[in-house]
Amino acid sequence: MTPTDKIWHNGRFIAWDEAKIHVLSHVISYGSSVFEGIRCYETKQGPAIFRLREHTRRLLDSAKIYRIPIDYSIDQLIDAQVELVRLNGLRSCYVRPIVLRGYGGVGVMPVNNPTEVFLACWEWGKYLGDEALSEGVDVCISSWNRIAPNTLPALAKSGANYMNSQLIRMEAHHNGYAEGIALDAEGRISEGSGENIFVVRDGRIHTPPLGSSVLPGITRDTVVTLAQELGLPMVEAVIPREMLYIADEVFFTGTAAEVTPVRSIDRIQVGSGRRGPITAKLQKAFFEIVEGIAPDKHGWLTPVPAAVAAK
Ligand code: PPE
């Protein structure tokens, strides 16, 4: 990771190296953080942040679920993120807002642990490897299930949920796969360690509903909307594991992973073993929007004004 100049902390910009917390902050022992991941794309009209309001809203939703008080409004946080990208002079980047319970009281009960809000950004390339978007990735079903209902809330993007994601991702990596797909507590398809999943069979696109322990992905929502616009049949449905093995196409969606085809699962080839036609259509529509080529009819792009001194 290449450091940038500035990080936003509780209302002001500080130097990258000064964005520190005490080791006894509540978050360190108890995982009490919520966060976001947002991409800013380079477009012909300059840098533009994709679905900034929806991501910021989900950040506030995650904090609300965990009763973490935040002193900033959605509009303040949106403006701060635009200013962050502008100040750091990046053409494209990944924005990472983090809300955490800080230093103060001891014990699980977060009394006198002030909320700290940080907004950082950096340049981040392809998530699942350079060729993932065109060639597809080889993945496995994880031996770890996704978090069960009423244990850790899946709708919240909390740091703690990513302990589960780490188990899934590390296991996949050690066994030679790019990613792992987790089943939910009932054994139905849930999601990847850092992506939502879509399964295509006979021209119909399926994705697990929010009740299958998935993060309500912004890219997931984007792809559902694009499929509707392209007239591609799309259903939210509880999906059995074995559907993956007989699918014509499978793909992941996520801010980091964007729209990534899956070419094999547990070494069983998916469809033709390469990016399928429906995946290709949705991928194309997605990149035309984020890169500012197609008209932004949903208002999904927030332009970043030119930096004082571009780097
Ligand atoms: N599920 C999980 C578990 C998840 O982490 C992500 C995003 C998604 C679904 C897709 O959500 P969305 O980005 O809103 O479309 N994962 C983020 C973090 C990746 C990381 O390694 O950190 C991301 O893609 O930015």
Side-chain angles (χ1 to χ4, degrees):
M1 176 162 55
T2 313
T4 58
D5 280 352
K6 297 289 181 202
I7 286 179
W8 186 97
H9 175 229
N10 290 354
R12 59 188 195 97
F13 287 98
I14 59 175
W16 176 277
D17 286 337
E18 276 158 31
K20 293 174 180 164
I21 56 165
H22 195 279
V23 70
L24 292 180
S25 298
H26 194 273
V27 60
I28 300 289
S29 292
Y30 307 120
S32 34
S33 71
V34 294
F35 70 102
E36 271 305 318
I38 312 170
R39 269 194 199 266
C40 173
Y41 286 92
E42 180 171 9
T43 75
K44 274 206 213 82
Q45 298 78 36
I49 309 180
F50 185 61
R51 304 201 70 176
L52 176 58
R53 180 167 293 273
E54 292 86 344
H55 279 283
T56 308
R57 179 177 180 222
R58 189 173 65 187
L59 180 73
L60 296 176
D61 287 346
S62 300
K64 188 174 187 190
I65 290 168
Y66 277 102
R67 304 174 190 268
I68 300 176
I70 300 188
D71 285 343
Y72 307 99
S73 67
I74 186 163
D75 288 309
Q76 283 174 314
L77 292 171
I78 287 171
D79 292 348
Q81 290 171 90
V82 172
E83 184 59 6
L84 175 80
V85 175
R86 191 186 73 85
L87 278 180
N88 284 317
L90 299 172
R91 274 192 277 264
S92 66
C93 63
Y94 185 83
V95 183
R96 169 58 52 84
I98 303 172
V99 174
L100 59 91
R101 292 196 195 270
Y103 175 78
V106 290
V108 169
M109 178 65 191
V111 280
N112 303 320
N113 296 92
T115 304
E116 309 272 359
V117 183
F118 290 92
L119 307 170
C121 68
W122 63 85
E123 279 179 81
W124 203 4
K126 297 302 170 201
Y127 190 58
L128 295 171
D130 283 340
E131 303 205 315
L133 292 174
S134 53
E135 302 303 312
V137 288
D138 301 306
V139 310
C140 60
I141 307 282
S142 184
S143 72
W144 295 99
N145 284 7
R146 203 74 183 117
I147 44 186
N150 221 20
T151 58
L152 291 169
L155 296 194
K157 190 172 173 70
S158 70
N161 286 358
Y162 287 82
M163 291 299 276
N164 174 259
S165 287
Q166 285 178 59
L167 292 170
I168 295 163
R169 186 71 186 257
M170 289 186 298
E171 181 191 54
H173 176 79
H174 285 289
N175 290 327
Y177 298 100
E179 179 58 292
I181 298 165
L183 306 178
D184 68 12
E186 310 252 77
R188 273 67 173 266
I189 299 169
S190 178
E191 61 180 350
S193 79
E195 310 85 4
N196 292 111
I197 191 165
F198 290 78
V199 184
V200 182
R201 172 138 166 134
D202 295 338
R204 187 181 291 268
I205 311 165
H206 307 73
T207 196
L210 298 188
S212 294
S213 297
V214 304
L215 184 74
I218 310 294
T219 321
R220 174 184 182 273
D221 179 73
T222 303
V223 162
V224 168
T225 305
L226 293 175
Q228 275 160 2
E229 290 173 3
L230 291 167
L232 302 170
M234 162 80 70
V235 287
E236 282 192 21
V238 169
I239 310 174
R241 168 179 183 159
E242 59 274 24
M243 183 77 148
L244 288 173
Y245 303 129
I246 56 171
D248 300 321
E249 301 179 37
V250 175
F251 61 91
F252 283 135
T253 65
T255 298
E258 299 170 306
V259 178
T260 298
V262 173
R263 67 179 176 196
S264 76
I265 299 164
D266 293 338
R267 306 284 178 218
I268 297 176
Q269 179 174 301
V270 175
S272 63
R274 56 169 67 93
R275 175 174 55 194
I278 289 180
T279 309
K281 264 190 201 162
L282 289 165
Q283 213 182 35
K284 180 163 178 281
F286 174 80
F287 281 107
E288 283 179 355
I289 288 197
V290 298
E291 288 167 3
I293 296 162
D296 179 22
K297 58 180 172 186
H298 300 284
W300 282 342
L301 293 174
T302 303
V304 177
V308 200
K311 277 186 236 137

